[in-house]
């Protein structure tokens, strides 16, 4: 849980995001990506013979070629869409040069959830450190989403470590209906490729890495004591040594590369959001990377 000052800031941020999201959805401004998370609207139902007046775009050309008679696909409107947000609340989220990664994660998560609720989508939440700390089943409605956002802001983590595997396994075990699963983490976590592939087989999976610019480069500020936010381990580092800075840069660059390769291997749409970024365009880019372009 953040301190009192950051708690107030987060609450204000959520209010601002709610207002902006409503304006984005209802304003219908030209050139604006109105819905970040609008469902496709229809799902496949059946195949039948073509009737004059049918939309020719619905013709199933494979079936038509086989039987030499035009056939069209029938669709029905989706009744709702379900989104599950997995939020990494491990100790490393407290890090941040200007804005903590936790604050950024909450802002991004709130934007997703509040955008979804305007289209009557169902939203659920899993909070994970090195174990699942909270599971909120998906429901629709603005009050539910505001409760969900408040839950992550006020939650006090029971552990500092990070392990995404329990949350990913829970999605597979408890969420039977195909849903969109959005994973938000800095990915300082044990290898979870097996669990990612399992979720990907059953659900539409997207990943958002929350990072901070200071994690990429070690500044030249002399001797400093670094502390692992998750393990509490402390180490004295001479940042004036160019070799130390170079090795640090190589390690962080490799970490970023490893994450990207893992996401590419399992064809998981993936973006990186840094603390302080204008993240809505990045979220839009993530949506456009998906088949169909939207949630």
């Amino acid at each position: 849980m953040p301190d009192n000052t950051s708690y107030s800031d987060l609450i204000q941020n959520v209010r601002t995001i709610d207002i902006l999201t409503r304006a984005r959805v209802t304003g219908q401004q030209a050139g604006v990506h109105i819905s970040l998370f609008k469902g496709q609207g229809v799902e496949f139902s059946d195949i039948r013979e073509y009737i004059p007046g049918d939309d020719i775009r619905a013709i199933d050309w494979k079936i038509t070629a086989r039987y030499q008679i035009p056939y069209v696909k029938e669709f029905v409107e989706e009744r709702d869409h379900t989104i599950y947000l997995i939020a990494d609340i491990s100790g490393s989220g407290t890090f941040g040069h200007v804005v903590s990664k936790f604050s950024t994660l909450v802002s991004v998560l709130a934007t997703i959830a509040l955008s979804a609720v305007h289209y009557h989508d169902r939203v659920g939440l899993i909070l994970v450190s090195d174990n699942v700390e909270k599971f909120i089943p998906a429901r629709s409605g603005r009050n539910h989403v505001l409760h969900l956002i408040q839950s992550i802001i006020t939650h006090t983590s029971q552990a500092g470590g990070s392990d995404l595997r329990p949350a990913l396994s829970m999605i597979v075990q408890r969420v039977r209906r195909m849903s969109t699963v959005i994973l938000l983490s800095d990915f300082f976590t044990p290898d979870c490729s097996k669990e990612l592939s399992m979720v990907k087989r059953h659900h539409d999976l997207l990943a958002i890495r929350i990072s901070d610019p200071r994690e990429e480069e070690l500044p030249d500020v002399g001797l400093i004591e670094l502390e692992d936010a998750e393990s509490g381990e402390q180490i004295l580092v001479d940042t004036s040594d160019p070799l130390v800075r170079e090795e640090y840069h190589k390690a962080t660059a490799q970490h970023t590369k490893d994450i990207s390769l893992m996401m590419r291997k399992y064809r998981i749409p993936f973006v990186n959001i840094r603390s302080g970024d204008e993240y809505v365009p990045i979220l839009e880019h993530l949506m456009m990377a998906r088949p169909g372009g939207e949630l």
Side-chain angles (χ1 to χ4, degrees):
M1 175 180 173
D3 58 32
N4 290 335
T5 302
S6 57
Y7 175 85
S8 300
D9 290 343
L10 285 170
I11 291 294
Q12 184 58 47
N13 285 344
V14 169
R15 290 172 180 163
T16 302
I17 290 165
D18 191 18
I19 293 170
L20 292 176
T21 303
R22 282 198 250 182
R24 188 178 295 117
V25 171
T26 60
Q28 304 294 314
Q29 304 98 325
V32 175
H33 187 71
I34 300 300
S35 169
L36 295 178
F37 309 100
K38 186 177 184 299
Q40 294 181 357
V42 293
E43 61 181 1
F44 175 74
S45 173
D46 201 357
I47 294 177
R48 61 169 173 78
E49 287 189 32
Y50 174 84
I51 299 173
D54 284 339
D55 188 345
I56 62 172
R57 291 175 296 180
I59 292 177
D60 187 316
W61 294 107
K62 288 184 178 180
I63 299 296
T64 297
R66 180 183 301 174
Y67 293 104
Q68 299 298 306
I69 299 174
Y71 277 81
V72 295
K73 295 178 181 179
E74 285 192 317
F75 298 88
V76 296
E77 292 187 3
E78 290 179 339
R79 294 184 178 179
D80 58 23
H81 187 71
T82 301
I83 299 168
Y84 269 95
L85 302 162
I86 300 178
D88 179 355
I89 57 168
S90 57
S92 59
T94 59
F95 182 81
H97 177 50
V98 177
V99 179
S100 74
K101 290 189 292 182
F102 175 79
S103 297
T104 303
L105 183 148
V106 171
S107 294
V108 173
L109 183 147
T111 299
I112 294 171
L114 290 167
S115 294
V117 77
H118 286 289
Y119 286 90
H120 309 290
D121 291 332
R122 293 154 45 89
V123 185
L125 175 68
I126 295 180
L127 301 183
V128 60
S129 53
D130 56 10
N131 62 84
V132 173
E133 298 198 13
K134 178 168 286 190
F135 174 79
I136 301 178
R139 291 177 57 192
S140 59
R142 184 169 174 272
N143 288 339
H144 168 71
V145 166
L146 292 177
H147 165 70
L148 181 149
I149 296 168
Q150 184 181 34
S151 294
I152 185 173
I153 293 175
T154 59
H155 182 79
T156 301
S157 178
Q158 303 301 310
S162 176
D163 192 343
L164 299 174
R165 293 173 296 183
L168 294 169
S169 296
M170 175 175 280
I171 283 288
V172 175
Q173 295 165 4
R174 298 195 51 178
V175 181
R176 299 298 183 183
R177 180 181 178 183
M178 184 177 177
S179 305
T180 294
V181 178
I182 304 178
L183 177 59
L184 300 98
S185 174
D186 57 13
F187 292 96
F188 289 116
T189 178
D191 178 59
C192 58
S193 55
K194 177 183 176 182
E195 288 74 19
L196 285 173
S197 66
M198 290 172 57
V199 174
K200 179 68 176 178
R201 285 198 296 269
H202 295 85
H203 302 285
D204 185 15
L205 178 61
L206 300 90
I208 300 172
R209 181 190 179 200
I210 306 295
S211 65
D212 187 271
R214 280 290 180 91
E215 291 175 328
E216 300 169 12
E217 299 286 346
L218 200 60
D220 182 358
V221 291
L223 286 172
I224 60 171
E225 189 172 62
L226 300 179
E227 179 177 332
D228 188 317
E230 297 184 2
S231 68
E233 181 181 356
Q234 297 178 335
I235 184 173
L236 191 65
V237 176
D238 182 7
T239 62
S240 64
D241 186 338
L243 290 177
V244 170
R245 296 198 304 274
E246 178 63 22
E247 288 301 315
Y248 180 87
H249 174 71
K250 286 181 180 179
T252 56
Q254 186 62 50
H255 175 65
T256 299
K257 182 179 179 180
D258 291 343
I259 297 169
S260 297
L261 288 174
M262 179 172 63
M263 298 304 170
R264 195 176 305 150
K265 178 180 179 180
Y266 297 108
R267 298 183 179 180
I268 300 170
F270 168 72
V271 293
N272 181 73
I273 294 177
R274 297 178 179 178
S275 299
D277 276 350
E278 174 52 53
Y279 55 83
V280 170
I282 300 175
L283 290 176
E284 291 179 345
H285 175 75
L286 178 64
M287 297 307 106
M288 296 308 295
R290 300 174 61 257
E294 295 179 319
L295 281 176

